[in-house]
C-alpha cells in the first residue's frame, strides 16, 4: 500500500510532491536504521560466539546479506523465470512465505514458551525482570494465560495462515 496508494494520495494533495519526497526519505531512513540494527546483531553474534574481529564479522555479514539478497533482487528481472510457488509467483513470494507464515509465528511461539515455561527462562525470572524498575508491574495472575492461551493463539494463527495460504 505504501508504494501504490500513498503516491496517488500525495499526487492529489497540495505540496504533495514535497510531502511525498519527505515521507519516502524518512521511510528510507527508517529502513536503513532497521538494517543497521539487524546487521549489528549478526555482527555481535559472530564476535561473541565465533570470536571474529569486528572488521571480519562486518565483512562476513555484509557479504552474506548481499549474496542472500541477490535472488530476491533479481527475481523481478534476470530470475523472473523462476516461479517457485506456481505461475506468476516470484522468489520474493517464496521468501515472504518462509518468513511471514513460518519464521515469525514459530519464533513468537518459541519466545513465549521459553519466557514463561520452566524448561526455559521460567515465569519467576520473567516476572522478576519485567517488574524491575519503575512503572506498572506485569500482572502475576496472567501466568496461565501466557503459558497456555498465548501459545494456543499463536498456533492458531500459524495454522490459519497455512489454511488461508493453501486455499488460494
Amino acid at each position: 500500500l505504501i508504494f501504490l496508494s500513498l503516491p496517488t494520495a500525495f499526487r492529489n494533495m497540495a505540496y504533495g510532491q514535497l510531502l511525498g519526497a519527505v515521507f519516502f526519505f524518512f521511510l528510507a531512513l527508517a529502513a536503513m536504521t532497521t538494517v543497521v540494527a539487524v546487521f549489528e546483531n549478526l555482527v555481535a553474534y559472530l564476535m561473541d560466539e565465533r570470536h571474529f574481529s569486528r572488521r571480519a564479522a562486518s565483512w562476513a555479514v555484509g557479504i552474506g546479506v548481499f549474496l542472500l539478497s541477490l535472488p530476491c533482487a533479481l527475481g523481478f528481472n534476470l530470475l523472473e523465470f523462476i516461479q517457485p510457488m506456481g505461475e506468476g509467483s516470484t522468489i520474493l513470494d517464496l521468501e515472504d512465505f518462509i518468513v511471514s507464515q513460518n519464521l515469525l509465528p514459530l519464533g513468537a511461539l518459541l519466545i513465549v514458551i521459553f519466557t514463561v515455561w520452566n524448561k526455559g527462562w521460567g515465569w519467576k525470572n520473567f516476572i522478576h525482570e519485567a517488574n524491575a524498575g519503575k512503572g506498572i508491574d506485569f500482572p502475576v495472575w496472567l501466568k496461565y494465560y501466557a503459558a497456555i492461551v498465548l501459545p494456543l493463539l499463536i498456533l492458531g494463527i500459524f495454522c490459519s495462515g497455512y489454511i488461508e495460504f493453501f486455499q488460494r
Side-chain angles (χ1 to χ4, degrees):
L1 290 175
I2 286 176
F3 299 109
L4 297 176
S5 300
L6 280 178
T8 303
F10 286 128
R11 190 177 317 116
N12 293 322
M13 65 173 52
Y15 305 106
Q17 283 186 318
L18 175 64
L19 292 173
V22 170
F23 173 80
F24 284 109
F25 173 74
F26 284 120
L27 183 66
L29 285 179
M32 288 306 298
T33 58
T34 301
V35 168
V36 168
V38 171
F39 194 89
E40 178 56 31
N41 283 326
L42 297 170
V43 168
Y45 167 79
L46 289 177
M47 290 172 58
D48 293 344
E49 301 297 325
R50 303 289 181 219
H51 309 292
F52 281 41
S53 69
R54 176 166 286 280
R55 177 177 293 242
S58 297
W59 275 104
V61 170
I63 291 169
V65 167
F66 176 77
L67 292 175
L68 291 171
S69 300
L70 281 177
C72 179
L74 298 176
F76 292 99
N77 46 52
L78 293 175
L79 300 177
E80 68 185 348
F81 63 92
I82 298 174
Q83 300 178 358
M85 301 181 77
E87 186 69 31
S89 70
T90 64
I91 295 171
L92 179 60
D93 295 323
L94 175 63
E95 291 175 351
D96 179 56
F97 173 76
I98 291 169
V99 172
S100 299
Q101 300 295 328
N102 295 286
L103 296 180
L104 289 176
L106 292 178
L109 180 65
L110 290 174
I111 288 170
V112 168
I113 288 171
F114 174 80
T115 302
V116 298
W117 288 11
N118 287 332
K119 301 259 186 221
W121 196 26
W123 180 255
K124 288 180 184 178
N125 292 327
F126 168 73
I127 287 296
H128 176 73
E129 184 72 23
N131 293 340
K134 297 179 182 178
I136 299 172
D137 285 349
F138 192 89
V140 177
W141 56 269
L142 284 177
K143 176 181 182 178
Y144 295 104
Y145 177 80
I148 297 168
V149 176
L150 279 181
L152 289 174
L153 285 173
I154 294 169
L155 276 173
I157 291 168
F158 177 74
C159 293
S160 70
Y162 264 87
I163 291 168
E164 180 185 325
F165 178 79
F166 286 112
Q167 285 180 346
R168 290 182 200 166

